[in-house]
Amino acid sequence: MIDLGLARIGRLLQHTPQTWKAIHVAGTNGKGSICASLSAMLSASGVSCARFTSPHLIDRWDCITVDEKPVPETIFRQVEGLVKQRDQDEKIGATEFELLAATAFEIFHRLKVEYGVIEVGLGGKLDATNIMKHKSVTVIAKIGLDHQSFLGNTIEEIALQKAGIIRSGVPCVVDGSNESSVLKVIQDHAKEVGGVELHYPSSDSALVQVLAKEGYEPHQVQNLACALLAFRLACPDFDHSLGRLLPIVKQLQWPGRLQRIDLFPIVGRHQEALLDGAHNSQSAEVLAAYVNKHYRSPSQSITWVLAASKGKDVDSIMSHNIQPSDQVTAVQFGPVDGMPWVKAEDPTNLINQAIRYGVDTQNTHDSGDDVRAALEWASRAAGDKPIVIAGSLYLVSSVLRLMREAQSHQKA
């Protein structure tokens, strides 16, 4: 259930002091990557740091990390049990996400972390994470159209919701590549809040130039620039030199974002696939640019493995990525642990949409709810040509879970 508001989370956390400094990150795309970069920089600087992002990747508790490692399942379940009992005893009626956020904040307090890097779940202003009292920096990443039924039908309305994380006296880093109308909404809201200094990453900093030369995509460079600026604002006395930060940035891997994987454990032969959670128009456009630059050519079509959540703008994802020469299999991801409101789109609808974009019916396949079968079909259909798995972070989770199970089975 999604029911935005701060009253229930406030009651859940009334016995949980916020003993850590927060870096709060909102946005439509890039916020997870910014959080990962920030926590990596903090941890590499010797700071005790925890991170809360959503959705989880493989296991429900891996959305909470402490010093770059997922919180142990035993600690997670113990604290989650306490939070759920509190919810029941006090008849709060908290949503699943509110229970999860409260569990994360309780863990941060118990483990005495110094910094918490927090990704907004949905929107900003009324998101459960916005209950935080002690923010040292806020970050607003790239904003686009998504979750319109909750946040508003225009990009400006959505921007106002995201800007709701801004606090007086707390510096705010803003992705300057946002549309001018979005930047104006953020600037106007910052003035209304008062005492807010907005910071925009420099596009000509030494780190940005080095990353661009080393082949990082423009959106990756922009996200890293936002993270670096937020890190400098949060920890002004730390070493921010390029020589120290560049190795940290290079080692960073954020699963499910332009991630290259070998499908061997699942399909029985070495075959690279690109795994990306692009699930809205803006991220689909970024994925298309990457695929067209690195994979597609007049003689090389793409084999797609696609899934989507119900209610997503499938048309915008297809319009950016699908071409008539491509091959497409669609699949339905399974139930999402702890998120019962998330439902998968019927694969038949995805296939019909691909056909509308010119894909030959003979080059499509409905894999039902069998992700393994979808990958096996894609492997056979693609031969030596590229495979791209996209459309949903929940599909990313299903694929990575399958990979882990297959690898465990091989070791056994």
Side-chain angles (χ1 to χ4, degrees):
M1 175 179 74
I2 297 177
D3 184 12
L4 299 177
L6 301 179
R8 292 179 300 272
I9 186 74
R11 290 176 64 194
L12 269 182
L13 290 172
Q14 60 185 331
H15 306 298
T16 307
Q18 188 191 323
T19 49
W20 39 275
K21 303 168 192 169
I23 302 177
H24 201 194
V25 184
T28 307
N29 294 300
K31 59 185 186 293
S33 299
I34 291 171
C35 287
S37 301
L38 271 167
S39 63
M41 291 175 189
L42 287 162
S43 293
S45 302
V47 176
S48 174
C49 171
R51 183 176 77 230
F52 175 50
T53 54
S54 60
H56 61 269
L57 193 60
I58 299 177
D59 301 309
R60 198 153 49 87
W61 48 93
D62 67 26
C63 63
I64 303 170
T65 66
V66 178
D67 296 329
E68 297 301 277
K69 294 178 182 176
V71 67
E73 180 184 358
T74 50
I75 294 177
F76 173 82
R77 291 199 182 278
Q78 179 191 12
V79 175
E80 182 190 45
L82 177 140
V83 170
K84 286 184 172 180
Q85 190 63 50
R86 188 181 294 163
D87 177 58
Q88 189 176 336
D89 291 346
E90 300 186 21
K91 297 181 173 55
I92 296 171
T95 67
E96 291 89 346
F97 183 75
E98 289 164 351
L99 293 169
L100 187 61
T103 299
F105 292 0
E106 181 76 29
I107 289 172
F108 290 9
H109 168 60
R110 288 187 176 204
L111 298 185
K112 297 180 170 59
V113 299
E114 188 177 346
Y115 274 90
V117 178
I118 311 296
E119 178 188 13
V120 167
L122 181 63
K125 179 182 178 181
L126 298 176
D127 185 73
T129 62
N130 206 29
I131 197 69
M132 290 183 295
K133 298 281 193 294
H134 309 298
K135 301 185 185 185
S136 27
V137 180
T138 58
V139 183
I140 300 177
K142 200 67 181 277
I143 295 176
L145 291 174
D146 203 0
H147 301 293
Q148 288 97 312
S149 59
F150 296 99
L151 304 178
N153 291 318
T154 68
I155 198 169
E156 293 80 16
E157 288 175 310
I158 293 171
L160 185 58
Q161 290 295 318
K162 308 283 187 187
I165 68 168
I166 289 174
R167 291 290 183 274
S168 180
V170 178
C172 177
V173 174
V174 180
D175 185 331
S177 69
N178 273 298
E179 292 182 19
S180 57
S181 62
V182 166
L183 296 176
K184 185 177 187 308
V185 167
I186 295 169
Q187 289 158 2
D188 289 347
H189 185 70
K191 285 178 186 173
E192 188 180 324
V193 171
V196 181
E197 192 170 345
L198 299 178
H199 298 261
Y200 303 89
S202 170
S203 59
D204 59 357
S205 70
L207 180 66
V208 167
Q209 290 179 11
V210 169
L211 290 173
K213 286 179 183 175
E214 296 211 2
Y216 282 78
E217 299 303 313
H219 74 285
Q220 294 173 320
V221 173
Q222 197 66 28
N223 291 339
L224 283 165
C226 285
L228 176 61
L229 182 51
F231 174 63
R232 286 175 168 160
L233 290 167
C235 306
D237 298 328
F238 285 26
D239 180 3
H240 306 127
S241 66
L242 188 60
R244 196 185 72 82
L245 291 176
L246 194 56
I248 299 169
V249 167
K250 283 184 174 181
Q251 288 174 17
L252 186 65
Q253 291 184 326
W254 189 229
R257 279 74 169 182
L258 300 181
Q259 179 186 4
R260 298 186 184 202
I261 60 173
D262 185 352
L263 293 176
F264 176 78
I266 297 173
V267 303
R269 74 184 184 104
H270 290 289
Q271 187 165 29
E272 183 183 283
L274 184 70
L275 183 64
D276 192 89
H279 58 278
N280 54 47
S281 179
Q282 197 175 74
S283 57
E285 191 173 357
V286 168
L287 174 62
Y290 185 86
V291 168
N292 292 340
K293 178 180 176 182
H294 296 281
Y295 290 98
R296 195 185 287 283
S297 70
S299 62
Q300 186 145 276
S301 59
I302 307 297
T303 298
W304 296 89
V305 180
L306 298 175
S309 298
K310 275 190 180 298
K312 289 295 181 183
D313 184 4
V314 174
D315 185 67
S316 66
I317 297 171
M318 295 277 189
S319 65
H320 288 302
N321 285 284
I322 303 301
Q323 295 192 11
S325 60
D326 290 347
Q327 305 178 94
V328 176
T329 181
V331 67
Q332 185 172 314
F333 55 78
V336 181
D337 189 11
M339 303 175 76
W341 66 87
V342 175
K343 305 295 181 186
E345 182 61 78
D346 185 336
T348 304
N349 294 337
L350 299 179
I351 293 296
N352 289 338
Q353 193 82 332
I355 292 170
R356 280 196 288 274
Y357 278 98
V359 176
D360 192 314
T361 305
Q362 294 183 349
N363 291 332
T364 65
H365 181 259
D366 185 335
S367 295
D369 60 359
D370 193 337
V371 176
R372 178 184 289 274
L375 296 174
E376 289 171 343
W377 182 89
S379 174
R380 292 191 300 272
D384 296 326
K385 293 181 179 179
I387 295 174
V388 181
I389 306 164
S392 170
L393 286 169
Y394 306 115
L395 176 60
V396 167
S397 297
S398 295
V399 171
L400 293 177
R401 196 174 296 112
L402 261 182
M403 293 278 288
R404 183 177 70 177
E405 290 168 1
Q407 287 164 344
S408 298
H409 182 71
Q410 287 172 357
K411 288 176 185 175

